[in-house]
Amino acid sequence: MEERGAHLPAWRVPRRLMRIDVNAFLGAYPYRRVPGTSPDGLLRAMARAAIDEAWVSHLPSLFWRQPMEGNAWLYATVAREPRLKPVPALHPGLAGWDGALGEAADRGAPAGRCDPLYYGLDPTGPEMRILVAACGAARLPLMMAVRLEDGRQRHPNDHAAELPAAAVRALVRADADVRLVITHADRGFIEEVHFGSTPEEAARLWWDVSWIWGAPEDHLETLLGTIGVGRFVFGTGQPLRIPEASIAKLDLLELAPEQRAAIESENARAGLRH
């Protein structure tokens, strides 16, 4: 990556060298001390890992009764830093969610976020089906996480279970226009959803690489070979996870330049921003 030119501003970095992190967070984690949760801390980590752009969610609001209350802070924060793009919370069980979705589309957010089990929603219930239909109509990708931490690390007060693979299949099947970005999924989860979906449904699913094992297990290499490079996007889960881990997975693979560019930026640009 010597050609990247760390001295150049992000807008001058050639497109083929861009690295977009679609899965990053800002704000304190409620169950343990996590460093680097401030905007400045995230930007320092991005500079260290040569990440040019991050799609950021407001981490504390996942645990609030009204997650959408964090959206105003998120918009104000990213407005001061062009390298950060907002992924606002959308809670279809609360009043005002449709306005929040409209605001996200108007502001050019790359995606909206809904983690139904953290929000106390049935992941395949009527509220979620209405949300995916609205996101499809608005051409706004919907992001959700399978998990935030390994079950062995989870705090006893964190009662959210892991998102079921069957729920993802049901949601992508519920609307022909919805595009889903699923983060923190492992190989087994991805294979269960992908091979249980029609080709048209699978073409509207993107998976970040943050939770997929790299070498020596080579889960990522296997998935790229069986499912295809076009279904994967670069994500780190920072600051809950170390961003360099996602980069190392790609470094250890023998990827052609166009394959690496697809994962690091082009799939997010072409598939999720239209």
Side-chain angles (χ1 to χ4, degrees), residues 55-91:
W55 299 2
V56 293
S57 302
H58 185 234
L59 181 59
S61 66
L62 266 72
F63 305 91
W64 293 355
R65 292 183 181 273
Q66 207 332 347
M68 295 179 293
E69 289 183 352
N71 291 347
W73 180 90
L74 182 64
Y75 286 132
T77 300
V78 303
R80 297 190 292 269
E81 177 46 64
R83 288 172 289 178
L84 304 180
K85 307 300 179 186
V87 180
L90 304 171
H91 191 317

PDB file of all heavy atoms in Angstrom, residues 55-91:
ATOM      1  N   TRP A  55     -17.983   4.292   7.667  1.00  0.00           N
ATOM      2  CA  TRP A  55     -19.421   4.430   7.889  1.00  0.00           C
ATOM      3  C   TRP A  55     -19.656   4.150   9.363  1.00  0.00           C
ATOM      4  O   TRP A  55     -19.374   3.048   9.848  1.00  0.00           O
ATOM      5  CB  TRP A  55     -20.192   3.446   7.030  1.00  0.00           C
ATOM      6  CG  TRP A  55     -19.991   3.622   5.559  1.00  0.00           C
ATOM      7  CD1 TRP A  55     -19.185   4.529   4.927  1.00  0.00           C
ATOM      8  CD2 TRP A  55     -20.605   2.852   4.516  1.00  0.00           C
ATOM      9  NE1 TRP A  55     -19.267   4.374   3.567  1.00  0.00           N
ATOM     10  CE2 TRP A  55     -20.125   3.365   3.280  1.00  0.00           C
ATOM     11  CE3 TRP A  55     -21.506   1.799   4.501  1.00  0.00           C
ATOM     12  CZ2 TRP A  55     -20.521   2.836   2.056  1.00  0.00           C
ATOM     13  CZ3 TRP A  55     -21.906   1.260   3.281  1.00  0.00           C
ATOM     14  CH2 TRP A  55     -21.424   1.784   2.079  1.00  0.00           C
ATOM     15  N   VAL A  56     -20.164   5.126  10.087  1.00  0.00           N
ATOM     16  CA  VAL A  56     -20.179   5.038  11.540  1.00  0.00           C
ATOM     17  C   VAL A  56     -21.602   5.015  12.092  1.00  0.00           C
ATOM     18  O   VAL A  56     -22.488   5.728  11.628  1.00  0.00           O
ATOM     19  CB  VAL A  56     -19.380   6.195  12.180  1.00  0.00           C
ATOM     20  CG1 VAL A  56     -17.905   6.054  11.865  1.00  0.00           C
ATOM     21  CG2 VAL A  56     -19.878   7.549  11.711  1.00  0.00           C
ATOM     22  N   SER A  57     -21.778   4.184  13.103  1.00  0.00           N
ATOM     23  CA  SER A  57     -23.012   4.105  13.871  1.00  0.00           C
ATOM     24  C   SER A  57     -22.759   4.645  15.264  1.00  0.00           C
ATOM     25  O   SER A  57     -21.617   4.636  15.748  1.00  0.00           O
ATOM     26  CB  SER A  57     -23.499   2.651  13.974  1.00  0.00           C
ATOM     27  OG  SER A  57     -23.695   2.078  12.705  1.00  0.00           O
ATOM     28  N   HIS A  58     -23.817   5.115  15.913  1.00  0.00           N
ATOM     29  CA  HIS A  58     -23.719   5.614  17.288  1.00  0.00           C
ATOM     30  C   HIS A  58     -23.903   4.429  18.225  1.00  0.00           C
ATOM     31  O   HIS A  58     -25.011   3.919  18.404  1.00  0.00           O
ATOM     32  CB  HIS A  58     -24.799   6.680  17.525  1.00  0.00           C
ATOM     33  CG  HIS A  58     -24.702   7.329  18.864  1.00  0.00           C
ATOM     34  ND1 HIS A  58     -25.763   7.387  19.734  1.00  0.00           N
ATOM     35  CD2 HIS A  58     -23.669   7.962  19.485  1.00  0.00           C
ATOM     36  CE1 HIS A  58     -25.398   8.035  20.823  1.00  0.00           C
ATOM     37  NE2 HIS A  58     -24.138   8.382  20.705  1.00  0.00           N
ATOM     38  N   LEU A  59     -22.803   3.970  18.819  1.00  0.00           N
ATOM     39  CA  LEU A  59     -22.814   2.741  19.607  1.00  0.00           C
ATOM     40  C   LEU A  59     -23.742   2.803  20.825  1.00  0.00           C
ATOM     41  O   LEU A  59     -24.498   1.854  21.065  1.00  0.00           O
ATOM     42  CB  LEU A  59     -21.381   2.397  20.027  1.00  0.00           C
ATOM     43  CG  LEU A  59     -21.184   1.130  20.844  1.00  0.00           C
ATOM     44  CD1 LEU A  59     -21.695  -0.095  20.091  1.00  0.00           C
ATOM     45  CD2 LEU A  59     -19.700   0.951  21.200  1.00  0.00           C
ATOM     46  N   PRO A  60     -23.734   3.869  21.636  1.00  0.00           N
ATOM     47  CA  PRO A  60     -24.594   3.850  22.828  1.00  0.00           C
ATOM     48  C   PRO A  60     -26.071   3.684  22.519  1.00  0.00           C
ATOM     49  O   PRO A  60     -26.808   3.061  23.291  1.00  0.00           O
ATOM     50  CB  PRO A  60     -24.320   5.219  23.481  1.00  0.00           C
ATOM     51  CG  PRO A  60     -23.008   5.646  22.949  1.00  0.00           C
ATOM     52  CD  PRO A  60     -22.928   5.098  21.560  1.00  0.00           C
ATOM     53  N   SER A  61     -26.515   4.209  21.385  1.00  0.00           N
ATOM     54  CA  SER A  61     -27.950   4.200  21.121  1.00  0.00           C
ATOM     55  C   SER A  61     -28.493   2.807  20.852  1.00  0.00           C
ATOM     56  O   SER A  61     -29.709   2.600  20.929  1.00  0.00           O
ATOM     57  CB  SER A  61     -28.278   5.139  19.956  1.00  0.00           C
ATOM     58  OG  SER A  61     -27.717   4.673  18.754  1.00  0.00           O
ATOM     59  N   LEU A  62     -27.625   1.835  20.547  1.00  0.00           N
ATOM     60  CA  LEU A  62     -28.111   0.470  20.416  1.00  0.00           C
ATOM     61  C   LEU A  62     -28.756  -0.025  21.704  1.00  0.00           C
ATOM     62  O   LEU A  62     -29.615  -0.906  21.677  1.00  0.00           O
ATOM     63  CB  LEU A  62     -26.960  -0.482  20.046  1.00  0.00           C
ATOM     64  CG  LEU A  62     -26.737  -0.766  18.565  1.00  0.00           C
ATOM     65  CD1 LEU A  62     -26.139   0.462  17.891  1.00  0.00           C
ATOM     66  CD2 LEU A  62     -25.860  -1.979  18.366  1.00  0.00           C
ATOM     67  N   PHE A  63     -28.361   0.578  22.836  1.00  0.00           N
ATOM     68  CA  PHE A  63     -28.830   0.122  24.137  1.00  0.00           C
ATOM     69  C   PHE A  63     -29.871   1.067  24.737  1.00  0.00           C
ATOM     70  O   PHE A  63     -30.327   0.845  25.850  1.00  0.00           O
ATOM     71  CB  PHE A  63     -27.631  -0.014  25.083  1.00  0.00           C
ATOM     72  CG  PHE A  63     -26.559  -0.908  24.538  1.00  0.00           C
ATOM     73  CD1 PHE A  63     -25.522  -0.384  23.779  1.00  0.00           C
ATOM     74  CD2 PHE A  63     -26.596  -2.274  24.749  1.00  0.00           C
ATOM     75  CE1 PHE A  63     -24.531  -1.203  23.256  1.00  0.00           C
ATOM     76  CE2 PHE A  63     -25.611  -3.100  24.233  1.00  0.00           C
ATOM     77  CZ  PHE A  63     -24.580  -2.568  23.486  1.00  0.00           C
ATOM     78  N   TRP A  64     -30.244   2.107  24.017  1.00  0.00           N
ATOM     79  CA  TRP A  64     -31.236   3.061  24.496  1.00  0.00           C
ATOM     80  C   TRP A  64     -32.639   2.584  24.160  1.00  0.00           C
ATOM     81  O   TRP A  64     -32.860   1.866  23.178  1.00  0.00           O
ATOM     82  CB  TRP A  64     -31.015   4.431  23.862  1.00  0.00           C
ATOM     83  CG  TRP A  64     -29.756   5.124  24.279  1.00  0.00           C
ATOM     84  CD1 TRP A  64     -28.847   4.716  25.209  1.00  0.00           C
ATOM     85  CD2 TRP A  64     -29.255   6.357  23.764  1.00  0.00           C
ATOM     86  NE1 TRP A  64     -27.819   5.601  25.313  1.00  0.00           N
ATOM     87  CE2 TRP A  64     -28.039   6.623  24.436  1.00  0.00           C
ATOM     88  CE3 TRP A  64     -29.710   7.257  22.795  1.00  0.00           C
ATOM     89  CZ2 TRP A  64     -27.286   7.774  24.173  1.00  0.00           C
ATOM     90  CZ3 TRP A  64     -28.962   8.385  22.537  1.00  0.00           C
ATOM     91  CH2 TRP A  64     -27.767   8.645  23.221  1.00  0.00           C
ATOM     92  N   ARG A  65     -33.606   3.043  24.961  1.00  0.00           N
ATOM     93  CA  ARG A  65     -35.005   2.750  24.652  1.00  0.00           C
ATOM     94  C   ARG A  65     -35.429   3.450  23.362  1.00  0.00           C
ATOM     95  O   ARG A  65     -36.313   2.971  22.659  1.00  0.00           O
ATOM     96  CB  ARG A  65     -35.905   3.183  25.810  1.00  0.00           C
ATOM     97  CG  ARG A  65     -35.735   2.361  27.074  1.00  0.00           C
ATOM     98  CD  ARG A  65     -36.714   2.799  28.149  1.00  0.00           C
ATOM     99  NE  ARG A  65     -36.545   2.033  29.368  1.00  0.00           N
ATOM    100  CZ  ARG A  65     -37.131   0.865  29.614  1.00  0.00           C
ATOM    101  NH1 ARG A  65     -37.933   0.336  28.696  1.00  0.00           N
ATOM    102  NH2 ARG A  65     -36.928   0.222  30.743  1.00  0.00           N
ATOM    103  N   GLN A  66     -34.814   4.588  23.076  1.00  0.00           N
ATOM    104  CA  GLN A  66     -35.111   5.336  21.858  1.00  0.00           C
ATOM    105  C   GLN A  66     -33.807   5.503  21.078  1.00  0.00           C
ATOM    106  O   GLN A  66     -33.139   6.537  21.165  1.00  0.00           O
ATOM    107  CB  GLN A  66     -35.688   6.701  22.245  1.00  0.00           C
ATOM    108  CG  GLN A  66     -36.612   7.427  21.324  1.00  0.00           C
ATOM    109  CD  GLN A  66     -36.534   7.232  19.815  1.00  0.00           C
ATOM    110  OE1 GLN A  66     -35.612   6.673  19.235  1.00  0.00           O
ATOM    111  NE2 GLN A  66     -37.526   7.737  19.156  1.00  0.00           N
ATOM    112  N   PRO A  67     -33.411   4.492  20.305  1.00  0.00           N
ATOM    113  CA  PRO A  67     -32.118   4.559  19.616  1.00  0.00           C
ATOM    114  C   PRO A  67     -31.994   5.737  18.666  1.00  0.00           C
ATOM    115  O   PRO A  67     -30.884   6.239  18.455  1.00  0.00           O
ATOM    116  CB  PRO A  67     -32.069   3.225  18.855  1.00  0.00           C
ATOM    117  CG  PRO A  67     -33.027   2.330  19.553  1.00  0.00           C
ATOM    118  CD  PRO A  67     -34.111   3.216  20.058  1.00  0.00           C
ATOM    119  N   MET A  68     -33.105   6.200  18.097  1.00  0.00           N
ATOM    120  CA  MET A  68     -33.034   7.266  17.108  1.00  0.00           C
ATOM    121  C   MET A  68     -32.664   8.615  17.722  1.00  0.00           C
ATOM    122  O   MET A  68     -32.322   9.552  16.992  1.00  0.00           O
ATOM    123  CB  MET A  68     -34.359   7.361  16.348  1.00  0.00           C
ATOM    124  CG  MET A  68     -34.648   6.118  15.513  1.00  0.00           C
ATOM    125  SD  MET A  68     -36.222   6.169  14.605  1.00  0.00           S
ATOM    126  CE  MET A  68     -37.406   6.120  15.961  1.00  0.00           C
ATOM    127  N   GLU A  69     -32.680   8.716  19.052  1.00  0.00           N
ATOM    128  CA  GLU A  69     -32.255   9.956  19.699  1.00  0.00           C
ATOM    129  C   GLU A  69     -30.765  10.226  19.501  1.00  0.00           C
ATOM    130  O   GLU A  69     -30.314  11.355  19.673  1.00  0.00           O
ATOM    131  CB  GLU A  69     -32.595   9.920  21.195  1.00  0.00           C
ATOM    132  CG  GLU A  69     -34.089  10.035  21.482  1.00  0.00           C
ATOM    133  CD  GLU A  69     -34.385  10.060  22.958  1.00  0.00           C
ATOM    134  OE1 GLU A  69     -33.452   9.840  23.774  1.00  0.00           O
ATOM    135  OE2 GLU A  69     -35.561  10.295  23.322  1.00  0.00           O
ATOM    136  N   GLY A  70     -29.996   9.218  19.140  1.00  0.00           N
ATOM    137  CA  GLY A  70     -28.577   9.422  18.890  1.00  0.00           C
ATOM    138  C   GLY A  70     -28.271   9.936  17.498  1.00  0.00           C
ATOM    139  O   GLY A  70     -27.126  10.326  17.218  1.00  0.00           O
ATOM    140  N   ASN A  71     -29.275   9.983  16.625  1.00  0.00           N
ATOM    141  CA  ASN A  71     -29.008  10.369  15.242  1.00  0.00           C
ATOM    142  C   ASN A  71     -28.572  11.815  15.102  1.00  0.00           C
ATOM    143  O   ASN A  71     -27.708  12.144  14.276  1.00  0.00           O
ATOM    144  CB  ASN A  71     -30.246  10.118  14.377  1.00  0.00           C
ATOM    145  CG  ASN A  71     -30.528   8.637  14.191  1.00  0.00           C
ATOM    146  OD1 ASN A  71     -29.690   7.786  14.493  1.00  0.00           O
ATOM    147  ND2 ASN A  71     -31.721   8.328  13.702  1.00  0.00           N
ATOM    148  N   ALA A  72     -29.166  12.717  15.885  1.00  0.00           N
ATOM    149  CA  ALA A  72     -28.800  14.137  15.784  1.00  0.00           C
ATOM    150  C   ALA A  72     -27.328  14.328  16.113  1.00  0.00           C
ATOM    151  O   ALA A  72     -26.613  15.072  15.422  1.00  0.00           O
ATOM    152  CB  ALA A  72     -29.689  14.974  16.697  1.00  0.00           C
ATOM    153  N   TRP A  73     -26.861  13.671  17.188  1.00  0.00           N
ATOM    154  CA  TRP A  73     -25.436  13.769  17.553  1.00  0.00           C
ATOM    155  C   TRP A  73     -24.579  13.189  16.441  1.00  0.00           C
ATOM    156  O   TRP A  73     -23.533  13.757  16.089  1.00  0.00           O
ATOM    157  CB  TRP A  73     -25.179  13.014  18.851  1.00  0.00           C
ATOM    158  CG  TRP A  73     -23.748  13.064  19.293  1.00  0.00           C
ATOM    159  CD1 TRP A  73     -23.156  13.992  20.093  1.00  0.00           C
ATOM    160  CD2 TRP A  73     -22.712  12.131  18.926  1.00  0.00           C
ATOM    161  NE1 TRP A  73     -21.817  13.699  20.254  1.00  0.00           N
ATOM    162  CE2 TRP A  73     -21.517  12.577  19.553  1.00  0.00           C
ATOM    163  CE3 TRP A  73     -22.679  10.987  18.135  1.00  0.00           C
ATOM    164  CZ2 TRP A  73     -20.316  11.884  19.414  1.00  0.00           C
ATOM    165  CZ3 TRP A  73     -21.480  10.311  17.989  1.00  0.00           C
ATOM    166  CH2 TRP A  73     -20.321  10.756  18.630  1.00  0.00           C
ATOM    167  N   LEU A  74     -24.997  12.066  15.870  1.00  0.00           N
ATOM    168  CA  LEU A  74     -24.218  11.431  14.824  1.00  0.00           C
ATOM    169  C   LEU A  74     -24.096  12.343  13.611  1.00  0.00           C
ATOM    170  O   LEU A  74     -22.998  12.535  13.067  1.00  0.00           O
ATOM    171  CB  LEU A  74     -24.869  10.108  14.430  1.00  0.00           C
ATOM    172  CG  LEU A  74     -24.150   9.270  13.375  1.00  0.00           C
ATOM    173  CD1 LEU A  74     -22.794   8.802  13.892  1.00  0.00           C
ATOM    174  CD2 LEU A  74     -25.003   8.071  12.969  1.00  0.00           C
ATOM    175  N   TYR A  75     -25.193  12.939  13.170  1.00  0.00           N
ATOM    176  CA  TYR A  75     -25.148  13.832  12.016  1.00  0.00           C
ATOM    177  C   TYR A  75     -24.260  15.043  12.287  1.00  0.00           C
ATOM    178  O   TYR A  75     -23.479  15.472  11.418  1.00  0.00           O
ATOM    179  CB  TYR A  75     -26.557  14.299  11.661  1.00  0.00           C
ATOM    180  CG  TYR A  75     -27.426  13.253  11.003  1.00  0.00           C
ATOM    181  CD1 TYR A  75     -28.721  13.029  11.443  1.00  0.00           C
ATOM    182  CD2 TYR A  75     -26.957  12.493   9.932  1.00  0.00           C
ATOM    183  CE1 TYR A  75     -29.536  12.076  10.841  1.00  0.00           C
ATOM    184  CE2 TYR A  75     -27.760  11.540   9.330  1.00  0.00           C
ATOM    185  CZ  TYR A  75     -29.051  11.332   9.790  1.00  0.00           C
ATOM    186  OH  TYR A  75     -29.848  10.397   9.187  1.00  0.00           O
ATOM    187  N   ALA A  76     -24.376  15.611  13.488  1.00  0.00           N
ATOM    188  CA  ALA A  76     -23.574  16.791  13.815  1.00  0.00           C
ATOM    189  C   ALA A  76     -22.091  16.442  13.856  1.00  0.00           C
ATOM    190  O   ALA A  76     -21.240  17.243  13.445  1.00  0.00           O
ATOM    191  CB  ALA A  76     -24.020  17.374  15.153  1.00  0.00           C
ATOM    192  N   THR A  77     -21.775  15.264  14.332  1.00  0.00           N
ATOM    193  CA  THR A  77     -20.376  14.846  14.449  1.00  0.00           C
ATOM    194  C   THR A  77     -19.754  14.603  13.088  1.00  0.00           C
ATOM    195  O   THR A  77     -18.656  15.086  12.797  1.00  0.00           O
ATOM    196  CB  THR A  77     -20.277  13.577  15.317  1.00  0.00           C
ATOM    197  OG1 THR A  77     -20.792  13.865  16.621  1.00  0.00           O
ATOM    198  CG2 THR A  77     -18.835  13.114  15.424  1.00  0.00           C
ATOM    199  N   VAL A  78     -20.428  13.856  12.223  1.00  0.00           N
ATOM    200  CA  VAL A  78     -19.843  13.549  10.919  1.00  0.00           C
ATOM    201  C   VAL A  78     -19.819  14.769  10.007  1.00  0.00           C
ATOM    202  O   VAL A  78     -19.009  14.824   9.071  1.00  0.00           O
ATOM    203  CB  VAL A  78     -20.573  12.385  10.228  1.00  0.00           C
ATOM    204  CG1 VAL A  78     -20.556  11.141  11.112  1.00  0.00           C
ATOM    205  CG2 VAL A  78     -21.999  12.755   9.855  1.00  0.00           C
ATOM    206  N   ALA A  79     -20.673  15.763  10.287  1.00  0.00           N
ATOM    207  CA  ALA A  79     -20.668  16.977   9.468  1.00  0.00           C
ATOM    208  C   ALA A  79     -19.341  17.722   9.589  1.00  0.00           C
ATOM    209  O   ALA A  79     -18.963  18.476   8.686  1.00  0.00           O
ATOM    210  CB  ALA A  79     -21.816  17.894   9.874  1.00  0.00           C
ATOM    211  N   ARG A  80     -18.619  17.485  10.678  1.00  0.00           N
ATOM    212  CA  ARG A  80     -17.331  18.159  10.892  1.00  0.00           C
ATOM    213  C   ARG A  80     -16.158  17.381  10.307  1.00  0.00           C
ATOM    214  O   ARG A  80     -15.029  17.868  10.349  1.00  0.00           O
ATOM    215  CB  ARG A  80     -17.112  18.374  12.395  1.00  0.00           C
ATOM    216  CG  ARG A  80     -18.151  19.282  13.051  1.00  0.00           C
ATOM    217  CD  ARG A  80     -17.744  19.637  14.464  1.00  0.00           C
ATOM    218  NE  ARG A  80     -17.789  18.486  15.361  1.00  0.00           N
ATOM    219  CZ  ARG A  80     -18.850  18.134  16.081  1.00  0.00           C
ATOM    220  NH1 ARG A  80     -19.978  18.841  15.978  1.00  0.00           N
ATOM    221  NH2 ARG A  80     -18.809  17.092  16.890  1.00  0.00           N
ATOM    222  N   GLU A  81     -16.425  16.168   9.803  1.00  0.00           N
ATOM    223  CA  GLU A  81     -15.333  15.335   9.319  1.00  0.00           C
ATOM    224  C   GLU A  81     -15.791  14.575   8.072  1.00  0.00           C
ATOM    225  O   GLU A  81     -16.566  13.609   8.175  1.00  0.00           O
ATOM    226  CB  GLU A  81     -14.886  14.353  10.406  1.00  0.00           C
ATOM    227  CG  GLU A  81     -13.801  13.395   9.971  1.00  0.00           C
ATOM    228  CD  GLU A  81     -12.668  14.086   9.231  1.00  0.00           C
ATOM    229  OE1 GLU A  81     -11.981  14.917   9.849  1.00  0.00           O
ATOM    230  OE2 GLU A  81     -12.483  13.777   8.030  1.00  0.00           O
ATOM    231  N   PRO A  82     -15.337  14.982   6.887  1.00  0.00           N
ATOM    232  CA  PRO A  82     -15.825  14.360   5.649  1.00  0.00           C
ATOM    233  C   PRO A  82     -15.439  12.899   5.488  1.00  0.00           C
ATOM    234  O   PRO A  82     -16.026  12.204   4.661  1.00  0.00           O
ATOM    235  CB  PRO A  82     -15.194  15.223   4.550  1.00  0.00           C
ATOM    236  CG  PRO A  82     -14.022  15.889   5.190  1.00  0.00           C
ATOM    237  CD  PRO A  82     -14.413  16.115   6.617  1.00  0.00           C
ATOM    238  N   ARG A  83     -14.482  12.401   6.259  1.00  0.00           N
ATOM    239  CA  ARG A  83     -14.102  10.992   6.140  1.00  0.00           C
ATOM    240  C   ARG A  83     -15.078  10.059   6.851  1.00  0.00           C
ATOM    241  O   ARG A  83     -14.998   8.838   6.693  1.00  0.00           O
ATOM    242  CB  ARG A  83     -12.689  10.785   6.696  1.00  0.00           C
ATOM    243  CG  ARG A  83     -11.604  11.354   5.819  1.00  0.00           C
ATOM    244  CD  ARG A  83     -10.259  11.301   6.503  1.00  0.00           C
ATOM    245  NE  ARG A  83     -10.187  12.259   7.602  1.00  0.00           N
ATOM    246  CZ  ARG A  83      -9.134  12.405   8.411  1.00  0.00           C
ATOM    247  NH1 ARG A  83      -8.080  11.627   8.230  1.00  0.00           N
ATOM    248  NH2 ARG A  83      -9.152  13.305   9.369  1.00  0.00           N
ATOM    249  N   LEU A  84     -15.998  10.633   7.634  1.00  0.00           N
ATOM    250  CA  LEU A  84     -16.979   9.838   8.362  1.00  0.00           C
ATOM    251  C   LEU A  84     -18.356  10.007   7.732  1.00  0.00           C
ATOM    252  O   LEU A  84     -18.775  11.123   7.441  1.00  0.00           O
ATOM    253  CB  LEU A  84     -17.023  10.262   9.834  1.00  0.00           C
ATOM    254  CG  LEU A  84     -15.699  10.212  10.599  1.00  0.00           C
ATOM    255  CD1 LEU A  84     -15.904  10.666  12.034  1.00  0.00           C
ATOM    256  CD2 LEU A  84     -15.075   8.825  10.542  1.00  0.00           C
ATOM    257  N   LYS A  85     -19.049   8.881   7.520  1.00  0.00           N
ATOM    258  CA  LYS A  85     -20.376   8.889   6.934  1.00  0.00           C
ATOM    259  C   LYS A  85     -21.364   8.290   7.930  1.00  0.00           C
ATOM    260  O   LYS A  85     -21.079   7.250   8.532  1.00  0.00           O
ATOM    261  CB  LYS A  85     -20.406   8.086   5.628  1.00  0.00           C
ATOM    262  CG  LYS A  85     -19.334   8.504   4.617  1.00  0.00           C
ATOM    263  CD  LYS A  85     -19.459   9.960   4.202  1.00  0.00           C
ATOM    264  CE  LYS A  85     -18.355  10.351   3.220  1.00  0.00           C
ATOM    265  NZ  LYS A  85     -18.374  11.799   2.900  1.00  0.00           N
ATOM    266  N   PRO A  86     -22.539   8.899   8.101  1.00  0.00           N
ATOM    267  CA  PRO A  86     -23.452   8.448   9.162  1.00  0.00           C
ATOM    268  C   PRO A  86     -24.282   7.238   8.760  1.00  0.00           C
ATOM    269  O   PRO A  86     -24.770   7.127   7.636  1.00  0.00           O
ATOM    270  CB  PRO A  86     -24.356   9.667   9.348  1.00  0.00           C
ATOM    271  CG  PRO A  86     -24.434  10.282   7.974  1.00  0.00           C
ATOM    272  CD  PRO A  86     -23.057  10.078   7.372  1.00  0.00           C
ATOM    273  N   VAL A  87     -24.431   6.310   9.688  1.00  0.00           N
ATOM    274  CA  VAL A  87     -25.373   5.204   9.550  1.00  0.00           C
ATOM    275  C   VAL A  87     -26.372   5.337  10.692  1.00  0.00           C
ATOM    276  O   VAL A  87     -26.156   4.822  11.796  1.00  0.00           O
ATOM    277  CB  VAL A  87     -24.655   3.839   9.591  1.00  0.00           C
ATOM    278  CG1 VAL A  87     -25.662   2.691   9.453  1.00  0.00           C
ATOM    279  CG2 VAL A  87     -23.607   3.750   8.484  1.00  0.00           C
ATOM    280  N   PRO A  88     -27.458   6.079  10.483  1.00  0.00           N
ATOM    281  CA  PRO A  88     -28.379   6.392  11.571  1.00  0.00           C
ATOM    282  C   PRO A  88     -29.238   5.199  11.979  1.00  0.00           C
ATOM    283  O   PRO A  88     -29.486   4.282  11.185  1.00  0.00           O
ATOM    284  CB  PRO A  88     -29.242   7.510  10.972  1.00  0.00           C
ATOM    285  CG  PRO A  88     -29.228   7.231   9.508  1.00  0.00           C
ATOM    286  CD  PRO A  88     -27.850   6.708   9.214  1.00  0.00           C
ATOM    287  N   ALA A  89     -29.706   5.236  13.221  1.00  0.00           N
ATOM    288  CA  ALA A  89     -30.566   4.190  13.754  1.00  0.00           C
ATOM    289  C   ALA A  89     -31.990   4.363  13.236  1.00  0.00           C
ATOM    290  O   ALA A  89     -32.494   5.479  13.119  1.00  0.00           O
ATOM    291  CB  ALA A  89     -30.555   4.241  15.278  1.00  0.00           C
ATOM    292  N   LEU A  90     -32.636   3.232  12.965  1.00  0.00           N
ATOM    293  CA  LEU A  90     -34.029   3.200  12.528  1.00  0.00           C
ATOM    294  C   LEU A  90     -34.758   2.153  13.376  1.00  0.00           C
ATOM    295  O   LEU A  90     -34.406   0.974  13.334  1.00  0.00           O
ATOM    296  CB  LEU A  90     -34.139   2.831  11.041  1.00  0.00           C
ATOM    297  CG  LEU A  90     -33.369   3.709  10.053  1.00  0.00           C
ATOM    298  CD1 LEU A  90     -33.406   3.095   8.659  1.00  0.00           C
ATOM    299  CD2 LEU A  90     -33.935   5.123  10.025  1.00  0.00           C
ATOM    300  N   HIS A  91     -35.749   2.598  14.151  1.00  0.00           N
ATOM    301  CA  HIS A  91     -36.503   1.685  15.014  1.00  0.00           C
ATOM    302  C   HIS A  91     -37.950   1.680  14.551  1.00  0.00           C
ATOM    303  O   HIS A  91     -38.713   2.589  14.880  1.00  0.00           O
ATOM    304  CB  HIS A  91     -36.412   2.143  16.472  1.00  0.00           C
ATOM    305  CG  HIS A  91     -36.934   1.151  17.467  1.00  0.00           C
ATOM    306  ND1 HIS A  91     -38.095   0.434  17.283  1.00  0.00           N
ATOM    307  CD2 HIS A  91     -36.431   0.743  18.667  1.00  0.00           C
ATOM    308  CE1 HIS A  91     -38.296  -0.350  18.312  1.00  0.00           C
ATOM    309  NE2 HIS A  91     -37.305  -0.201  19.161  1.00  0.00           N
TER     310      HIS A  91
END
